[in-house]
Amino acid sequence: MTKGAAVLAFDMGASSGRALVGRLAESEGGRRVLEVAEVHRFPNHAIQVGKHLHWDTLRLLHEMKKSIRFAFQQGYEPATFGIDTWGVDFGLLDANGELLGNPYHYRDPHTDGLIEEVSARIGQRELFEQSGLQFMPFNTLYQLYAMVKAASPKLEVAKTLLLTPDLLAYLLTGVKSCEFTMATTTQLFHPVNRSWNAELMKRLGIPPHLFLEPVQPGTIIGPLTPEVREELGVPALQAVAVGTHDTESAIAAVPAGDEPFAFLVCGTWSLLGTEMTGPLLTPETMELEFSNEGGVGGTYQLLKNIMGLWLLQECKREWDEQGKEIGFPELVRLAEQAEPFRSLVHPDDPRFFSPGGMADKIRSFCAETSQPIPHSEGEIARCILESLALRYRQALEQAEKLTDRAYGGLHMVGGGIQNELLCRLTANAIGKPVWAGPVEASAIGNMLMQLVALGECKDLREARELVAASFPVDVYEPDRDERWAKAYETFLGFGRV
């Protein structure tokens, strides 16, 4: 990788997308470091069409093309690009390679009630052993089963299923591929056999021929199509299959050493867990609702999906629509001023999954559990952040129980760590240090696998050493406040695992 050359990372979240460039440079001390700069940021809005919620895939493609052009206009000349996104969602292609409609959004209600129906047909234990995943209503399995039940004509004519990052890469390169980490989010990939579970698909009426053989993170996919190159006036930069599930890219960027560690990827969703060499498929893992997701570098991640900052984001969206445009820094300030330990919710209560009316849902939860009802923006924000911190404690203790390990602290990465109050509350709740950083973990992990593909990093260990040399980590030590113990007892009384 010549001096000044760059890699381009597309990091797609549930509400926005970003294009960032990473370049290797030499620090003042002579160490090799990774420099990161944002090229373009754009919104990613769900689109309601009739009864269904969709992604605006072609708008995302348009913004990605702009990003590539901007990168060259700004003089970066990237050698490769990679794409990471949320998991589970997909597009279907016909025999001509044309996209069959706009992909469904994972919050679309067409999967309502299907966890119970599929579990009754297959058996919960068998289903978990053959997927390793927490039963979540948005998993690809339930989305496809919903289409089977609806006799969707798309399934009759579809020839290929591409998960979101693979679909976007295909629209830029013309190459159809399936990346391993994303495949493991579907609940249709067998974690022991490490192959598609064709038998399970047949039992549910899902066509097995739709699925491509997965490739490992760090695989070069192919160059931009001649049409895209001509449209943008750029050379043939290559696409790399990175850890295309944004969670796995973020975990790749955790600046941990060789010892086992606990992580929290903090954003719209929160993912808390630990890195493993293989899946953990015990009955207790299923009962505690942990997932086994494929990672980069031959790893598996034992983790729990937690609703995350979605609750606060939805409240802010509603307040903005009501004319109360309060920025996140101001919301955090108001939360800091609010009375602590006044009201709590369980972030993973099913009522909080769907958009709309979030502040009222929080009030209703508090009323139903005989707690003071939060009214002001600060009270609601404090309620959300303290509840998340307590949920993190619960999930960390569960991870320690499952792995029979005691972790010395928690590595927090992702955009949510910009909320310093949440980091402090988390340290206080778990009674252990929180090591926060880097913020742009998914994009950085994306870049790391591109550097591995280019031969600039030998492996995941060397890539993490590069992260540790390049980005600061903020340390939050816990305060010994006895009120946390009482709050935790209240939280556990809500009765969810």
Side-chain angles (χ1 to χ4, degrees), residues 8 27 57 109 119 121 123 145 157 198 211 220 312 333 356 374 424 433 448 489:
L8 176 63
S27 69
T57 303
S119 295
R121 287 190 59 178
Y145 186 60
V157 299
F211 298 85
I220 294 178
L312 189 59
R333 188 186 68 80
R424 293 201 309 271
L448 295 178
E489 287 182 14

Side-chain angles (χ1 to χ4, degrees), residues 307 345-354 365 368 494 496:
M307 204 75 77
V345 297
H346 197 297
D348 292 316
D349 187 280
R351 77 187 77 192
F352 301 135
F353 178 75
S354 300
F365 185 101
E368 291 168 17
F494 297 151
R496 292 181 61 87

Side-chain angles (χ1 to χ4, degrees), residues 161-396:
L161 180 148
L162 295 181
L163 293 150
T164 302
D166 302 320
L167 174 62
L168 294 170
Y170 163 73
L171 294 173
L172 289 168
T173 67
V175 179
K176 301 170 187 174
S177 65
C178 172
E179 188 274 322
F180 166 72
T181 70
M182 188 62 66
T184 67
T185 72
T186 62
Q187 211 173 350
L188 292 166
F189 189 85
H190 201 297
V192 176
N193 300 337
R194 302 207 178 193
S195 61
W196 290 113
N197 194 338
E199 180 59 33
L200 176 61
M201 295 179 196
K202 291 174 183 176
R203 291 171 69 181
L204 295 175
I206 298 169
H209 72 264
L210 296 175
F211 298 85
L212 304 174
E213 189 67 24
V215 300
Q216 286 297 313
T219 301
I220 294 178
I221 299 301
L224 295 174
T225 65
E227 294 81 6
V228 172
R229 300 201 300 267
E230 181 179 358
E231 176 187 355
L232 302 180
V234 299
L237 72 159
Q238 297 273 348
V240 174
V242 297
T244 59
H245 186 204
D246 54 6
T247 299
E248 309 312 325
S249 275
I251 297 166
V254 173
D258 293 332
E259 293 297 316
F261 63 92
F263 60 77
L264 172 61
V265 181
C266 188
T268 300
W269 285 92
S270 291
L271 299 306
L272 192 149
T274 188
E275 192 166 80
M276 309 279 284
T277 57
L280 186 66
L281 303 174
T282 63
E284 194 170 34
T285 305
M286 182 186 76
E287 290 163 7
L288 292 179
E289 298 182 358
F290 273 68
S291 284
N292 296 269
E293 295 184 358
V296 307
T299 62
Y300 255 81
Q301 312 302 339
L302 178 70
L303 57 82
K304 171 165 281 192
N305 285 270
I306 299 169
M307 204 75 77
L309 286 167
W310 159 255
L311 281 76
L312 189 59
Q313 292 167 353
E314 270 294 284
C315 287
K316 181 185 181 302
R317 182 183 65 80
E318 294 168 20
W319 293 329
D320 287 348
E321 290 175 354
Q322 295 165 8
K324 305 175 184 177
E325 296 192 5
I326 308 173
F328 283 112
E330 176 64 10
L331 276 176
V332 171
R333 188 186 68 80
L334 293 172
E336 286 180 311
Q337 295 175 350
E339 179 185 347
F341 308 112
R342 184 173 182 269
S343 307
L344 299 169
V345 297
H346 197 297
D348 292 316
D349 187 280
R351 77 187 77 192
F352 301 135
F353 178 75
S354 300
M358 189 63 72
D360 285 339
K361 292 174 184 177
I362 289 170
R363 293 188 185 101
S364 70
F365 185 101
C366 292
E368 291 168 17
T369 50
S370 302
Q371 300 180 87
I373 297 174
H375 293 287
S376 70
E377 290 82 5
E379 288 174 343
I380 291 173
R382 182 86 188 198
C383 171
I384 291 170
L385 297 179
E386 287 182 343
S387 300
L388 285 174
L390 291 165
R391 179 58 162 159
Y392 299 156
R393 173 179 171 177
Q394 183 185 30
L396 179 61

